[in-house]
Amino acid sequence: MITVASLVILLPFLAAATGLLGSRFPRGLRGATSLNPGTDLNADADRRAAWIAVLPTAISTVLAIWLAYATWAATGQGAADGVTTTFTVIETGAVPISVGLLVDGLAASIAVLVTVVALAVQVYSVGYLRGDRRYPSYSSFISLFTSAMLLVVYAADLLVLYVGWEIMGLCSYLLVGHWWEERANSRAAIKAFLVTRIGDVGFLFGIFVLGTAAGSFRIADVIAAVPEMSSGTLIAATMLLLAGVAGKSAQVPLHVWLPDAMAGPTPISALIHAATMVAAGIFVVARLYPAFLGARPTLDVLAVLAALGMLGAALAALAQDDLKRVLAYSTISQLAYMAGALAAGSRDAAIFHLITHGAFKALLFLCAGAVIHVVGSNLMSTMGGLRRELPVTFAAMTIGFAALMGLPPASGFFSKDEMLAGIERSLSAGPLTDAAAFLLYGCALATIAVTGAYATRAWLRTFFGQRASRPEPVAGEAHAAVPGVPATMRRPIVVLAVPALLLGFARIGDVHWGTAVLSLTVALLGAGAVYAVWRSAPQTDPARLLGPFRVPCERAFYVDSVYTGLLVRPVLLLARLVVRTDNRVVDGTVRGSGRAALRLAGLVRLVQNGNAQLYVTGLLAGVLLIAAGAVIFG
């Protein structure tokens, strides 16, 4: 198993290295003049890059599926702990670092999600970025992104996990800023990088606290040592880890980078939101769940943050005009739902929803990319009436929105039911305090209603009504409208629609029908309210039902503005002060000493100018002064 897991990680990594170094050869650099008339070197490089990216990812997907099947079969035979292998131990003088892999049910399941979505994104990108001059590097960075997430999933040591964790941060920066010519895109990439780095500082210290307390960074050793750790150690470690989780999984208060990250190509949004980056935070909490269960105050904090995040992000999604930002805030909300389930003690329900969410959110983003490809804009105000023009995309996106709302028989119905049931149980018995559990449950029910509302609004505005006239292109739009959707974009959409629709039947026996009926009723109430408002005036935005709260929701409750006022501007002011101090004090001292030396040299130069008459005059003046002094004072 470990050999197969190694291949699953290494194949995308080798694809990344080969794509970066070999996709432009042996025919030369992209854009070079061809020796053979009619040969398009750019197309040749793109074709090579596509094969280099897609084929290893496909093999890795097949191996990950086989590995998951073998792991589940072994679990059925009683081998529940998984398989761990250490390749080497690096002595550090204190706590050693073990380079090894861990394959268990959790890792195998998430690895299948990562590889399937990555493969769909790679195939989809062939059509979506056709003609893009940086496609070879783009496809290579996706492969590196995939390999890094797989390293996080299979890592048996916390520091090895941290390596993959940080490589993902680099890849997100490179891919979000793919179209860096637009300043807004490069700023979005920098924002994503810096905000997640803030959380990663705490995450690294949390790893150090756990590793030092356990005497090992091996995940199995850390979990085994949890009962022996003091409550203070566990609370400190998990609180620090929670900072990194909030950054990577875009949770309150470090969620502000994710909506702006929509500046990257839409397939990257699908990869980040469904299978990598944001999924890593939820995965790490699940991986180290015994440590979090031993730190009840941390779970209370997680529950409060999740409650605020799930409802706040859902309300923000209800007011957005940009289709991708609707889905971005939806991701923040759904991840907060998973975090809430983890806080309530329902680890399996959170992981099940992580998998179903990966399927239907990847589907929604790829469908959104197809719509944007045809319309040439992200704005829903420029869309409408697309169900006949894009029948496959319409059907697939309908499945995706149904899963997002939790409508049967889509997969989200089953996974959301399990999470809500777990949160409901925490009201009477669970790791949370009564206040935190009540807040979490109330926000969870309200979020279901708002989710039904914003999903219905996006569905109606995109596919129904009349097609709006296309406005002038706006800054940041990388696509002009094109007729039709290429087959390379349609096929991944069709494939992902299957698990988005049917994946939930794997847990059909675990449905809590009372909770499911309540959830369905609340979701339909939200959807029905939006439909009634839209039906009364199809050409207007149903978000008007928010009334005076629409602008605050559209601005995501001004969190970015608060950060700008409290953090960004003071830091910039301090930076300007440091620059001015450096220029005027530090550099001024150096320049002043130089000017003083020059002035002194000028004075010395007056008596060393080569004029013999001046020298004799000075000599006589000196003799006279000496003689006068001798007479006067002698």
Side-chain angles (χ1 to χ4, degrees):
M1 282 189 178
I2 298 299
T3 302
V4 176
S6 302
L7 290 175
V8 172
I9 298 170
L10 286 174
L11 283 171
F13 178 79
L14 294 175
T18 305
L20 288 172
L21 299 176
S23 63
R24 303 172 186 269
F25 298 99
R27 299 300 301 274
L29 296 173
R30 285 172 65 84
T33 303
S34 175
L35 299 178
N36 300 322
T39 300
D40 187 348
L41 293 181
N42 289 356
D44 289 345
D46 287 349
R47 195 175 299 111
R48 283 194 296 273
W51 280 108
I52 291 171
V54 171
L55 189 58
T57 306
I59 298 172
S60 184
T61 302
V62 172
L63 293 176
I65 293 172
W66 178 88
L67 191 59
Y69 174 79
T71 302
W72 296 332
T75 301
Q77 297 173 4
D81 294 334
V83 179
T84 304
T85 294
T86 300
F87 298 115
T88 184
V89 175
I90 302 173
E91 296 295 340
T92 62
V95 182
I97 303 170
S98 59
V99 180
L101 301 179
L102 166 63
V103 180
D104 60 0
L106 174 62
S109 301
I110 302 301
V112 171
L113 170 66
V114 173
T115 52
V116 168
V117 173
L119 178 60
V121 167
Q122 289 282 23
V123 174
Y124 184 94
S125 298
V126 174
Y128 192 83
L129 287 179
R130 180 168 295 164
D132 190 295
R133 61 193 179 91
R134 286 192 293 272
Y135 171 76
S137 59
Y138 163 90
S139 62
S140 299
F141 291 144
I142 291 180
S143 296
L144 183 60
F145 209 157
T146 306
S147 180
M149 181 61 185
L150 289 169
L151 183 60
V152 169
V153 169
Y154 284 125
D157 187 280
L158 288 175
L159 289 181
V160 174
L161 181 150
Y162 187 73
V163 171
W165 184 274
E166 287 300 320
I167 293 174
M168 281 198 295
L170 172 63
C171 291
S172 69
Y173 166 75
L174 295 171
L175 290 168
V176 170
H178 177 74
W179 291 312
W180 51 263
E181 293 87 350
E182 292 287 346
R183 191 173 184 183
N185 298 343
S186 61
R187 284 190 168 187
I190 294 171
K191 183 177 182 179
F193 187 80
L194 291 179
V195 173
T196 54
R197 293 292 74 69
I198 291 171
D200 289 352
V201 173
F203 189 79
L204 181 59
F205 280 105
I207 288 176
F208 287 154
V209 171
L210 279 180
T212 303
S216 171
F217 289 113
R218 292 180 74 248
I219 293 174
D221 294 342
V222 169
I223 292 175
V226 164
E228 302 172 4
M229 296 183 190
S230 67
S231 60
T233 298
L234 286 174
I235 292 171
T238 51
M239 284 290 192
L240 289 167
L241 290 173
L242 203 57
V245 170
K248 271 291 189 292
S249 289
Q251 293 300 288
V252 175
L254 300 179
H255 63 287
V256 292
W257 67 270
L258 192 60
D260 289 345
M262 297 304 95
T266 303
I268 292 308
S269 301
L271 188 65
I272 290 176
H273 288 247
T276 62
M277 195 76 171
V278 297
I282 302 299
F283 171 82
V284 166
V285 175
R287 173 60 82 199
L288 298 174
Y289 202 49
F292 283 86
L293 286 177
R296 299 299 177 89
T298 302
L299 291 181
D300 283 339
V301 171
L302 181 60
V304 172
L305 296 181
L308 297 176
M310 67 172 71
L311 183 55
L315 288 170
L318 183 56
Q320 304 300 311
D321 188 38
D322 188 319
L323 179 58
K324 288 175 66 176
R325 290 180 76 88
V326 171
L327 297 179
Y329 281 111
S330 169
T331 297
I332 297 173
S333 180
Q334 294 298 304
L335 289 168
Y337 222 118
M338 300 173 211
L342 289 168
S346 299
R347 173 182 178 267
D348 292 343
I351 293 302
F352 183 38
H353 192 65
L354 179 64
I355 295 172
T356 60
H357 175 265
F360 68 72
K361 189 52 65 70
L363 174 65
L364 285 171
F365 266 109
L366 296 188
C367 288
V371 170
I372 294 167
H373 200 68
V374 171
V375 175
S377 172
N378 296 358
L379 304 180
M380 291 186 291
S381 56
T382 65
M383 300 174 188
L386 292 172
R387 66 186 185 280
R388 294 186 181 89
E389 187 175 350
L390 299 171
V392 174
T393 302
F394 168 65
M397 207 163 191
T398 300
I399 293 173
F401 278 131
L404 175 61
M405 294 169 61
L407 302 181
S411 59
F413 168 77
F414 299 93
S415 58
K416 187 170 288 188
D417 164 69
E418 286 198 28
M419 289 194 300
L420 186 61
I423 294 172
E424 187 176 3
R425 282 195 300 270
S426 70
L427 293 172
S428 57
L432 298 177
T433 59
D434 292 341
F438 181 78
L439 175 66
L440 182 61
Y441 183 67
C443 288
L445 283 179
T447 301
I448 292 173
V450 181
T451 301
Y454 73 71
T456 303
R457 169 180 174 263
W459 184 64
L460 291 172
R461 296 198 73 199
T462 302
F463 294 107
F464 293 86
Q466 294 181 356
R467 175 76 174 271
S469 59
R470 175 74 172 98
E472 293 297 322
V474 297
E477 289 186 359
H479 278 291
V482 297
V485 178
T488 52
M489 293 172 61
R490 284 198 309 272
R491 289 167 186 162
I493 289 173
V494 173
V495 170
L496 285 175
V498 176
L501 180 63
L502 302 177
L503 194 58
F505 285 100
R507 303 283 285 269
I508 192 172
D510 299 328
V511 174
H512 307 81
W513 291 107
T515 303
V517 170
L518 174 63
S519 173
L520 181 60
T521 302
V522 172
L524 290 177
L525 285 174
V530 166
Y531 179 77
V533 172
W534 176 84
R535 186 69 177 172
S536 64
Q539 299 306 314
T540 60
D541 190 348
R544 68 183 187 276
L545 63 84
L546 289 170
F549 297 102
R550 179 175 179 177
V551 174
C553 291
E554 188 176 6
R555 297 289 301 276
F557 306 101
Y558 305 101
V559 174
D560 262 317
S561 300
V562 172
Y563 284 173
T564 299
L566 294 181
L567 298 175
V568 177
R569 287 176 183 166
V571 168
L572 289 176
L573 182 62
L574 180 62
R576 293 189 185 101
L577 180 62
V578 170
V579 170
R580 183 173 296 180
T581 302
D582 183 62
N583 286 334
R584 296 189 177 183
V585 178
V586 179
D587 289 349
T589 301
V590 175
R591 288 192 293 265
S593 63
R595 285 193 292 266
L598 288 174
R599 292 193 183 102
L600 181 61
L603 293 176
V604 174
R605 180 186 173 193
L606 293 177
V607 297
Q608 294 291 334
N609 60 4
N611 189 332
Q613 184 178 358
L614 182 62
Y615 295 163
V616 173
T617 302
L619 179 62
L620 292 175
V623 170
L624 288 174
L625 287 173
I626 292 172
V631 170
I632 295 172
F633 301 104

